[in-house]
Amino acid sequence: MRFTDGLTPAELGHYEQHGYVKLAAFADPGRCRAMLDRVVEITRAQAEGTKLAGGAGLAGLVLPESNLAGRPGRPEELASKVFTLHRDDIFGGFASSPEVTGVLTGLIGPRIDCFLSQFIFKNPGAWGQPWHQDSYYFAFEPARPVVGMSLAVTRATTENGCLYVLPGSHREPVHEHVPDSRPGANYGYVEIVGRAMSGAEAMPMETGDLLVFDSHLVHRSSDNTTDGLRAAMTYHFAATGTRDLQPGVVNDFVTVT
Ligand SMILES: O=C(O)CCC(=O)C(=O)O
C-alpha cells in the first residue's frame, strides 16, 4: 500500500479542480483478493442463513442484480451490491488504515467517520448505474464535505463497466434525480435528468487503484458486456459529528480516525 502522508499538492489540486483524483496502485492486490474472498463468503453465508466469525459480516445487506433475476448461479454471481461492510475486519481495516485516513484528513479534517460501504459486484450482463450524485442519497447536516472512495478490486475497463465522471461537476448543487426507468433496473437506482453530460471521462482502473471523489461529482458506470467480473469496494466518509437527518438501514457511522 502507498505512503501514509496524504495527498500530494498535485493530487489535492486535481481533486479541488475536478472533484476527483485517481491514486494508482493504492492497495496491494492481495488485499483486494482478500476483500473479494470475504464478500463471497458473506454473500454465500447470507444465502444459506449461516453465521460468520470475523466482525460484523452479517451486517452486509445483499442487493440482487435485478437484471439477472431468475438466472442460475452462485449467490455472488447474482448479487449487485453488498452494503454495510465497514464493521467487518477486512473492510473496516482498510477504511481505518493510515493510508486511507491520511488521504481523508486533508479533505475532511482530523475526525472522520465512515458511514457507508458497498461492495460492487458488476457481474457479466449487469447494467451500469445511471448518472447521479451521491449526495442525492445523503440528507446530512452539515451536507459537506462528504468524500467517496472506490477501490478497484478487479481491473475496470469501459467494456466491463468502469465508472465515468463529469469533471468539475462537484461545484454544482444536487440536481433533480428521477427513478431509473429501465424495466429491471436495480433497486434504488436514480438518474439525473435535464443536464447535458458532455465532457464525461471514463475511469478505467487497474486492480488496487483508488478513485477519491466528492459527493457532488456527477458519475455513472457502464454495463458489463464481458464474461468476467468487475468488482469494486466503495466507502463514504464525513466529519465525525455529522447528523443524518433521515436515518435508514444502510448508513452506519463508525469513527475511523
Ligand atoms: O461502481 C459502480 O458500478 C457504480 C457505483 C456508484 O456509482 C455508486 O455506488 O455511487
Side-chain angles (χ1 to χ4, degrees):
M1 209 148 145
R2 74 177 229 159
F3 58 88
T4 58
D5 295 345
L7 296 177
T8 65
E11 289 166 345
L12 186 58
H14 193 283
Y15 182 93
E16 285 171 350
Q17 186 181 354
H18 300 291
Y20 72 91
V21 63
K22 185 161 82 171
L23 306 177
F26 187 90
D28 187 73
R31 188 165 207 158
C32 297
R33 183 72 231 180
M35 286 185 174
L36 181 58
D37 290 346
R38 178 64 177 161
V39 77
V40 165
E41 194 181 19
I42 290 170
T43 308
R44 290 183 184 177
Q46 286 230 342
E48 290 158 8
T50 51
K51 275 200 182 300
L52 286 178
L58 282 186
L61 173 71
V62 181
L63 210 67
E65 183 68 52
S66 302
N67 180 35
L68 303 181
R71 291 202 196 173
R74 288 169 293 192
E76 69 275 12
E77 291 168 337
L78 304 173
S80 157
K81 295 188 177 187
V82 182
F83 285 88
T84 320
L85 292 167
H86 51 287
R87 287 186 190 270
D88 192 76
D89 295 347
I90 288 176
F91 300 104
F94 180 78
S96 61
S97 65
E99 293 85 353
V100 167
T101 58
V103 167
L104 292 169
T105 302
L107 304 176
I108 294 178
R111 301 273 295 139
I112 300 165
D113 284 4
C114 176
F115 64 88
L116 178 63
S117 54
Q118 306 164 55
F119 192 93
I120 314 277
F121 278 108
K122 183 70 77 70
N123 279 298
W127 289 343
Q129 184 163 351
W131 288 112
H132 66 282
Q133 292 158 296
D134 289 338
S135 271
Y136 169 80
Y137 296 99
F138 309 146
F140 290 171
E141 177 53 46
R144 300 172 93 173
V146 173
V147 176
M149 287 188 168
S150 178
L151 174 67
V153 169
T154 64
R155 190 162 187 247
T157 66
T158 50
E159 290 78 31
N160 73 6
C162 73
L163 289 169
Y164 287 70
V165 303
L166 219 53
S169 55
H170 62 303
R171 289 190 216 95
E172 299 171 12
V174 176
H175 293 279
E176 183 189 353
H177 290 63
V178 299
D180 185 341
S181 59
R182 295 171 295 181
N186 281 337
Y187 176 80
Y189 276 13
V190 292
E191 175 173 23
I192 294 175
V193 286
R195 190 212 185 282
M197 297 300 174
S198 53
E201 271 183 32
M203 284 293 123
M205 312 227 297
E206 297 299 325
T207 303
D209 290 357
L210 184 76
L211 187 73
V212 184
F213 58 103
D214 186 282
S215 63
H216 278 227
L217 184 75
V218 175
H219 63 287
R220 74 170 177 103
S221 62
S222 55
D223 302 345
N224 184 353
T225 58
T226 72
D227 55 11
L229 169 71
R230 176 209 150 218
M233 181 63 204
T234 69
Y235 297 89
H236 291 88
F237 301 89
T240 301
T242 297
R243 285 192 312 129
D244 188 347
L245 304 179
Q246 291 171 2
V249 287
V250 292
N251 291 345
D252 179 17
F253 285 74
V254 176
T255 297
V256 293
T257 187

